Short mmCIF file of all heavy atoms in Angstrom, two decimals:
data_model
loop_
_atom_site.label_atom_id
_atom_site.label_comp_id
_atom_site.label_asym_id
_atom_site.label_seq_id
_atom_site.Cartn_x
_atom_site.Cartn_y
_atom_site.Cartn_z
N ASP A 1 81.34 118.45 95.81
CA ASP A 1 80.52 117.43 96.43
C ASP A 1 81.34 116.42 97.27
O ASP A 1 80.85 116.01 98.31
CB ASP A 1 79.69 116.68 95.33
CG ASP A 1 78.74 117.65 94.60
OD1 ASP A 1 78.31 118.66 95.33
OD2 ASP A 1 78.40 117.37 93.41
N ALA A 2 82.49 116.08 96.78
CA ALA A 2 83.29 115.10 97.47
C ALA A 2 84.68 115.07 96.88
O ALA A 2 84.93 115.52 95.80
CB ALA A 2 82.66 113.71 97.35
N MET A 3 85.61 114.61 97.70
CA MET A 3 86.97 114.30 97.24
C MET A 3 87.36 112.91 97.70
O MET A 3 86.84 112.41 98.72
CB MET A 3 88.01 115.35 97.82
CG MET A 3 87.68 116.73 97.39
SD MET A 3 88.98 117.91 97.88
CE MET A 3 90.33 117.37 96.78
N GLY A 4 88.18 112.30 96.92
CA GLY A 4 88.62 110.93 97.31
C GLY A 4 89.84 110.45 96.65
O GLY A 4 90.55 111.27 96.03
N TRP A 5 90.11 109.22 96.94
CA TRP A 5 91.28 108.58 96.30
C TRP A 5 90.91 107.26 95.65
O TRP A 5 90.10 106.45 96.23
CB TRP A 5 92.36 108.22 97.39
CG TRP A 5 92.97 109.40 97.96
CD1 TRP A 5 92.54 110.19 99.08
CD2 TRP A 5 94.18 110.06 97.59
NE1 TRP A 5 93.33 111.11 99.37
CE2 TRP A 5 94.46 111.13 98.37
CE3 TRP A 5 95.12 109.76 96.51
CZ2 TRP A 5 95.54 111.97 98.20
CZ3 TRP A 5 96.22 110.62 96.38
CH2 TRP A 5 96.37 111.66 97.28
N ALA A 6 91.37 106.94 94.54
CA ALA A 6 91.23 105.74 93.82
C ALA A 6 92.60 105.20 93.45
O ALA A 6 93.60 105.84 93.52
CB ALA A 6 90.52 105.86 92.54
N ARG A 7 92.62 103.85 93.16
CA ARG A 7 93.92 103.22 92.84
C ARG A 7 93.73 102.28 91.69
O ARG A 7 92.66 101.80 91.53
CB ARG A 7 94.52 102.55 94.05
CG ARG A 7 93.77 101.31 94.55
CD ARG A 7 94.32 100.80 95.85
NE ARG A 7 93.59 99.64 96.35
CZ ARG A 7 93.85 99.02 97.48
NH1 ARG A 7 94.80 99.55 98.31
NH2 ARG A 7 93.10 97.99 97.91
N GLN A 8 94.84 101.99 91.02
CA GLN A 8 94.84 101.14 89.95
C GLN A 8 96.16 100.39 89.82
O GLN A 8 97.22 101.02 89.70
CB GLN A 8 94.52 101.83 88.58
CG GLN A 8 94.35 100.86 87.46
CD GLN A 8 93.80 101.55 86.20
OE1 GLN A 8 93.95 102.76 86.01
NE2 GLN A 8 93.11 100.83 85.38
N ALA A 9 96.12 99.08 89.84
CA ALA A 9 97.28 98.24 89.76
C ALA A 9 97.34 97.71 88.31
O ALA A 9 96.27 97.72 87.64
CB ALA A 9 97.20 97.05 90.68
N PRO A 10 98.47 97.36 87.82
CA PRO A 10 98.56 96.88 86.48
C PRO A 10 97.64 95.68 86.14
O PRO A 10 97.64 94.72 86.91
CB PRO A 10 100.06 96.49 86.33
CG PRO A 10 100.74 97.38 87.23
CD PRO A 10 99.85 97.45 88.38
N GLY A 11 96.89 95.78 85.09
CA GLY A 11 96.03 94.73 84.75
C GLY A 11 94.74 94.64 85.54
O GLY A 11 93.91 93.79 85.27
N LYS A 12 94.51 95.66 86.32
CA LYS A 12 93.30 95.67 87.16
C LYS A 12 92.57 96.92 86.89
O LYS A 12 93.12 97.93 86.54
CB LYS A 12 93.66 95.55 88.65
CG LYS A 12 94.31 94.16 89.03
CD LYS A 12 94.51 94.07 90.55
CE LYS A 12 95.15 92.78 90.90
NZ LYS A 12 95.31 92.62 92.37
N GLU A 13 91.24 96.88 87.25
CA GLU A 13 90.40 98.08 87.10
C GLU A 13 90.69 99.07 88.21
O GLU A 13 91.05 98.70 89.37
CB GLU A 13 88.94 97.75 87.10
CG GLU A 13 88.48 96.87 85.94
CD GLU A 13 87.11 96.54 85.95
OE1 GLU A 13 86.35 96.77 86.93
OE2 GLU A 13 86.57 96.03 84.88
N ARG A 14 90.43 100.31 87.88
CA ARG A 14 90.55 101.32 88.95
C ARG A 14 89.49 101.19 89.97
O ARG A 14 88.31 100.98 89.59
CB ARG A 14 90.58 102.75 88.27
CG ARG A 14 90.73 103.90 89.33
CD ARG A 14 90.65 105.28 88.67
NE ARG A 14 91.73 105.40 87.73
CZ ARG A 14 92.11 106.56 87.08
NH1 ARG A 14 91.41 107.65 87.35
NH2 ARG A 14 93.13 106.55 86.21
N GLU A 15 89.83 101.26 91.23
CA GLU A 15 88.84 101.20 92.27
C GLU A 15 88.88 102.36 93.23
O GLU A 15 89.99 102.90 93.50
CB GLU A 15 89.01 99.91 93.08
CG GLU A 15 90.34 99.78 93.86
CD GLU A 15 90.40 98.61 94.80
OE1 GLU A 15 89.33 98.09 95.20
OE2 GLU A 15 91.53 98.29 95.29
N LEU A 16 87.71 102.82 93.73
CA LEU A 16 87.68 103.86 94.66
C LEU A 16 88.10 103.35 96.03
O LEU A 16 87.52 102.36 96.47
CB LEU A 16 86.27 104.45 94.68
CG LEU A 16 86.11 105.71 95.60
CD1 LEU A 16 86.88 106.89 94.98
CD2 LEU A 16 84.61 106.05 95.65
N VAL A 17 89.07 103.96 96.59
CA VAL A 17 89.59 103.47 97.88
C VAL A 17 88.89 104.21 99.00
O VAL A 17 88.51 103.62 100.02
CB VAL A 17 91.10 103.75 97.95
CG1 VAL A 17 91.64 103.42 99.33
CG2 VAL A 17 91.84 102.94 96.86
N ALA A 18 88.83 105.52 98.92
CA ALA A 18 88.19 106.29 99.98
C ALA A 18 87.63 107.61 99.46
O ALA A 18 88.09 108.10 98.45
CB ALA A 18 89.31 106.61 101.08
N ARG A 19 86.52 108.07 100.14
CA ARG A 19 85.90 109.27 99.67
C ARG A 19 85.34 110.00 100.94
O ARG A 19 84.91 109.45 101.79
CB ARG A 19 84.82 109.02 98.69
CG ARG A 19 84.02 110.28 98.32
CD ARG A 19 83.17 110.05 97.10
NE ARG A 19 84.09 110.03 95.83
CZ ARG A 19 83.62 109.92 94.62
NH1 ARG A 19 82.35 109.73 94.36
NH2 ARG A 19 84.44 109.88 93.62
N ILE A 20 85.46 111.38 100.84
CA ILE A 20 84.93 112.15 101.94
C ILE A 20 83.98 113.21 101.25
O ILE A 20 84.36 113.90 100.36
CB ILE A 20 85.99 112.81 102.78
CG1 ILE A 20 85.41 113.59 103.89
CG2 ILE A 20 86.94 113.65 101.94
CD1 ILE A 20 86.34 114.04 104.97
N SER A 21 82.77 113.28 101.72
CA SER A 21 81.84 114.27 101.19
C SER A 21 82.01 115.67 101.74
O SER A 21 82.77 115.81 102.74
CB SER A 21 80.40 113.79 101.41
OG SER A 21 80.01 113.91 102.83
N SER A 22 81.34 116.60 101.15
CA SER A 22 81.39 118.00 101.64
C SER A 22 80.84 118.04 103.05
O SER A 22 81.19 119.04 103.80
CB SER A 22 80.62 118.97 100.66
OG SER A 22 79.33 118.56 100.59
N ALA A 23 80.01 117.17 103.42
CA ALA A 23 79.47 117.10 104.74
C ALA A 23 80.37 116.40 105.77
O ALA A 23 80.01 116.29 106.95
CB ALA A 23 78.04 116.53 104.73
N GLY A 24 81.38 115.84 105.25
CA GLY A 24 82.27 115.14 106.14
C GLY A 24 82.15 113.62 106.24
O GLY A 24 82.85 112.98 107.03
N SER A 25 81.16 113.08 105.53
CA SER A 25 80.90 111.65 105.62
C SER A 25 82.04 110.90 104.76
O SER A 25 82.44 111.37 103.75
CB SER A 25 79.56 111.30 104.98
OG SER A 25 78.50 111.97 105.75
N THR A 26 82.47 109.78 105.31
CA THR A 26 83.56 109.10 104.65
C THR A 26 83.06 107.71 104.24
O THR A 26 82.21 107.10 104.96
CB THR A 26 84.79 108.95 105.53
OG1 THR A 26 84.40 108.33 106.78
CG2 THR A 26 85.28 110.30 105.90
N THR A 27 83.59 107.19 103.22
CA THR A 27 83.35 105.80 102.76
C THR A 27 84.71 105.20 102.32
O THR A 27 85.55 105.90 101.81
CB THR A 27 82.33 105.74 101.59
OG1 THR A 27 82.89 106.48 100.49
CG2 THR A 27 81.04 106.25 101.96
N TYR A 28 84.81 103.89 102.52
CA TYR A 28 86.10 103.22 102.22
C TYR A 28 85.69 101.87 101.50
O TYR A 28 84.73 101.25 101.82
CB TYR A 28 86.91 102.89 103.46
CG TYR A 28 87.33 104.10 104.22
CD1 TYR A 28 86.50 104.56 105.23
CD2 TYR A 28 88.52 104.71 103.87
CE1 TYR A 28 86.93 105.78 105.92
CE2 TYR A 28 88.99 105.83 104.63
CZ TYR A 28 88.16 106.39 105.63
OH TYR A 28 88.60 107.42 106.36
N THR A 29 86.58 101.51 100.60
CA THR A 29 86.43 100.11 100.11
C THR A 29 86.76 99.11 101.19
O THR A 29 87.54 99.41 102.08
CB THR A 29 87.32 99.93 98.81
OG1 THR A 29 86.89 98.78 98.15
CG2 THR A 29 88.77 99.84 99.24
N GLU A 30 86.12 98.01 101.12
CA GLU A 30 86.14 97.04 102.22
C GLU A 30 87.59 96.62 102.55
O GLU A 30 87.96 96.46 103.72
CB GLU A 30 85.34 95.78 101.85
CG GLU A 30 85.19 94.79 103.05
CD GLU A 30 84.46 95.29 104.17
OE1 GLU A 30 83.50 96.14 103.95
OE2 GLU A 30 84.65 94.89 105.29
N SER A 31 88.45 96.50 101.61
CA SER A 31 89.80 96.05 101.80
C SER A 31 90.68 96.97 102.57
O SER A 31 91.74 96.57 103.06
CB SER A 31 90.49 95.61 100.42
OG SER A 31 90.67 96.86 99.62
N VAL A 32 90.30 98.23 102.72
CA VAL A 32 91.18 99.20 103.45
C VAL A 32 90.57 99.70 104.70
O VAL A 32 91.24 100.45 105.45
CB VAL A 32 91.55 100.39 102.61
CG1 VAL A 32 92.10 99.95 101.27
CG2 VAL A 32 90.30 101.27 102.33
N LYS A 33 89.34 99.27 105.02
CA LYS A 33 88.69 99.76 106.22
C LYS A 33 89.48 99.31 107.51
O LYS A 33 89.95 98.16 107.62
CB LYS A 33 87.25 99.08 106.36
CG LYS A 33 86.28 99.66 105.35
CD LYS A 33 84.87 98.96 105.48
CE LYS A 33 83.88 99.65 104.56
NZ LYS A 33 82.57 98.95 104.72
N GLY A 34 89.67 100.30 108.38
CA GLY A 34 90.41 100.11 109.53
C GLY A 34 91.91 100.30 109.41
O GLY A 34 92.60 100.36 110.35
N ARG A 35 92.37 100.53 108.17
CA ARG A 35 93.76 100.78 107.82
C ARG A 35 93.94 102.12 107.26
O ARG A 35 94.96 102.81 107.54
CB ARG A 35 94.28 99.72 106.92
CG ARG A 35 94.19 98.28 107.42
CD ARG A 35 94.92 97.28 106.57
NE ARG A 35 94.42 97.19 105.21
CZ ARG A 35 95.06 97.53 104.06
NH1 ARG A 35 96.33 97.97 104.23
NH2 ARG A 35 94.45 97.40 102.98
N PHE A 36 93.12 102.58 106.40
CA PHE A 36 93.27 103.92 105.75
C PHE A 36 92.26 104.93 106.34
O PHE A 36 91.17 104.58 106.66
CB PHE A 36 92.98 103.75 104.28
CG PHE A 36 93.99 102.97 103.42
CD1 PHE A 36 94.96 102.29 104.04
CD2 PHE A 36 93.93 102.97 102.07
CE1 PHE A 36 95.94 101.48 103.35
CE2 PHE A 36 94.80 102.17 101.32
CZ PHE A 36 95.86 101.50 101.97
N THR A 37 92.72 106.20 106.34
CA THR A 37 91.85 107.23 106.77
C THR A 37 92.06 108.44 105.82
O THR A 37 93.14 108.90 105.54
CB THR A 37 92.32 107.74 108.24
OG1 THR A 37 92.19 106.57 109.14
CG2 THR A 37 91.36 108.82 108.64
N ILE A 38 90.88 108.95 105.37
CA ILE A 38 90.85 110.12 104.47
C ILE A 38 90.44 111.30 105.39
O ILE A 38 89.63 111.22 106.23
CB ILE A 38 89.94 109.92 103.33
CG1 ILE A 38 90.03 111.08 102.35
CG2 ILE A 38 88.46 109.77 103.84
CD1 ILE A 38 89.29 110.85 101.04
N SER A 39 91.10 112.51 104.96
CA SER A 39 90.86 113.69 105.72
C SER A 39 91.09 114.86 104.81
O SER A 39 91.77 114.77 103.84
CB SER A 39 91.62 113.81 107.01
OG SER A 39 93.07 113.82 106.73
N ILE A 40 90.59 116.05 105.26
CA ILE A 40 90.73 117.27 104.48
C ILE A 40 91.18 118.44 105.32
O ILE A 40 90.72 118.60 106.42
CB ILE A 40 89.41 117.61 103.73
CG1 ILE A 40 89.06 116.64 102.66
CG2 ILE A 40 89.48 119.00 103.19
CD1 ILE A 40 87.76 116.98 101.96
N ASP A 41 92.11 119.15 104.79
CA ASP A 41 92.48 120.44 105.40
C ASP A 41 91.97 121.50 104.47
O ASP A 41 92.48 121.81 103.42
CB ASP A 41 94.01 120.56 105.55
CG ASP A 41 94.47 121.87 106.21
OD1 ASP A 41 93.68 122.76 106.25
OD2 ASP A 41 95.61 121.83 106.79
N THR A 42 90.80 122.07 104.83
CA THR A 42 90.14 123.03 103.99
C THR A 42 91.01 124.33 103.80
O THR A 42 90.92 124.98 102.71
CB THR A 42 88.77 123.40 104.42
OG1 THR A 42 88.93 123.93 105.79
CG2 THR A 42 87.86 122.21 104.53
N ALA A 43 91.69 124.72 104.81
CA ALA A 43 92.60 125.92 104.67
C ALA A 43 93.62 125.82 103.57
O ALA A 43 94.00 126.78 102.97
CB ALA A 43 93.19 126.26 106.01
#
């Protein structure tokens, strides 16, 4: 359905950073928008 990246710093909760759906739609947490890009190489 989707693949993504999450991150966790010591003492903090894990947060979803970026996700890409099977349809190619992407979402990003606000703090990384414009800086991070998620992509997939299906092959």
